[in-house]
Amino acid sequence: MEMMKDADIILIADVPFGQGNINTLMGIEDLKGAVYLHTSCLNRDFTAGMLKKCLDRIALQKKIIEIGDYDELLEMLKRNEDQNQLSD
């Protein structure tokens, strides 16, 4: 959590979620960064539904932007950067 506290972007990557790493999602809703979710991780949930519960809790506080692959994420970030440069 300490490493993510100042991040502008929080990526929930395409990794399997199990009892050993589900706790990494605890508290994300309180961080300032935008949350991106690689949707493939939803098919790799080995937490008996805890992953969905964590994501639902995060979604109550923050928008979760779903991505299907990392190229899509890079495109989104590039568009946002271009828009920010135009507005400056």
Side-chain angles (χ1 to χ4, degrees), residues 2 13 15 18 20 32 35 39 50-51 57 61 64-65 67 73 75 78 87:
E2 182 66 23
V15 296
K32 72 173 189 159
V35 177
T39 55
M50 286 178 59
L51 176 60
R57 188 187 67 250
Q61 301 288 325
I64 298 176
I65 303 159
I67 60 166
L73 171 63
E75 282 295 317
K78 174 103 174 85
S87 65

Side-chain angles (χ1 to χ4, degrees), residues 52-67:
K52 178 159 178 14
K53 288 178 185 176
C54 286
L55 294 172
D56 289 346
R57 188 187 67 250
I58 294 166
L60 291 173
Q61 301 288 325
K62 303 180 82 70
K63 179 179 179 184
I64 298 176
I65 303 159
E66 295 184 356
I67 60 166

Side-chain angles (χ1 to χ4, degrees), residues 20-83:
N21 66 347
I22 191 69
N23 290 338
T24 60
L25 300 179
M26 303 299 178
I28 285 179
E29 66 274 8
D30 297 326
L31 300 175
K32 72 173 189 159
V35 177
Y36 290 83
L37 169 71
H38 196 298
T39 55
S40 291
C41 73
L42 299 172
N43 298 324
R44 301 167 77 185
D45 178 10
F46 301 99
T47 64
M50 286 178 59
L51 176 60
K52 178 159 178 14
K53 288 178 185 176
C54 286
L55 294 172
D56 289 346
R57 188 187 67 250
I58 294 166
L60 291 173
Q61 301 288 325
K62 303 180 82 70
K63 179 179 179 184
I64 298 176
I65 303 159
E66 295 184 356
I67 60 166
D69 62 51
Y70 296 112
D71 289 335
E72 184 180 352
L73 171 63
L74 293 174
E75 282 295 317
M76 286 179 175
L77 296 177
K78 174 103 174 85
R79 277 195 307 266
N80 287 343
E81 182 179 312
D82 291 345
Q83 289 173 351

